[in-house]
Amino acid sequence: SIPLLQAARKRNSLNLLGLNEAELEEQFVRGDGPGGQATNKTNNCVVLKHIPSGIVVKCHQTRSVEKNRKIAREILQEKVDLFYKGEDSDVFKEQKASEKKKQERKRRARENLERKKVFKEMQQLDKK
């Protein structure tokens, strides 16, 4: 139920497919969003495309081009791994485990709220 390519960039996985630099197309463009002149006048946003799969990653997390290049490659590597391995990918498995934990926390919170509600009702009945 999680789109495969949206699961990327959640955690560091060790068992990822490698990227070949010859298969990458890199561009530097102006970023968007908050930042004013620092954002609008510098080309520090990195757009990285994996040619065989057609996956495109845009990274503008920092003001440094080198850091954005590194982050973009990490994100692209995870997305390419997801693209080729699908549900067998470590990234996908970590995302599924994370979703399961989140659902468990929500379930426990709902149960606690229900218990508190019942407890308050019992207190109000005892007062009457």
Side-chain angles (χ1 to χ4, degrees):
S1 56
I2 303 167
L4 284 181
L5 294 180
Q6 288 182 358
R9 193 64 180 150
K10 299 300 177 190
R11 289 203 183 92
N12 291 332
S13 295
L14 302 174
N15 194 15
L16 297 176
L17 293 174
L19 291 178
N20 184 0
E21 287 293 322
E23 296 176 340
L24 300 179
E25 187 177 293
E26 187 174 45
Q27 290 180 315
F28 303 102
V29 296
R30 289 195 179 120
D32 56 357
Q37 185 175 2
T39 298
N40 298 334
K41 285 197 167 186
T42 59
N43 291 338
N44 56 6
C45 179
V46 177
V47 177
L48 202 57
K49 180 178 182 181
H50 186 249
I51 297 168
S53 64
I55 298 172
V56 178
V57 170
K58 186 176 180 182
C59 179
H60 186 224
Q61 293 183 6
T62 68
R63 288 171 59 179
S64 165
V65 176
E66 289 305 314
K67 286 181 184 176
N68 285 336
R69 290 180 77 203
K70 184 177 185 284
I71 294 169
R73 277 171 172 67
E74 290 172 1
I75 296 170
L76 185 66
Q77 186 176 21
E78 290 181 8
K79 288 193 177 204
V80 167
D81 190 66
L82 278 168
F83 181 78
Y84 287 115
K85 291 184 181 177
E87 293 184 6
D88 294 332
S89 171
D90 288 345
V91 179
F92 185 78
K93 290 176 184 174
E94 286 178 8
Q95 179 65 22
K96 277 293 200 189
S98 157
E99 282 292 317
K100 197 172 183 178
K101 283 181 184 177
K102 187 176 180 181
Q103 288 174 354
E104 181 64 24
R105 283 194 303 266
K106 281 184 178 180
R107 185 188 62 77
R108 272 194 242 124
R110 255 188 317 240
E111 286 176 357
N112 279 341
L113 283 174
E114 190 62 34
R115 272 192 231 116
K116 287 179 182 178
K117 186 177 175 183
V118 169
F119 182 72
K120 283 185 178 181
E121 288 173 359
M122 294 291 283
Q123 280 185 329
Q124 287 176 355
L125 287 176
D126 287 345
K127 288 181 182 177
K128 291 180 180 180

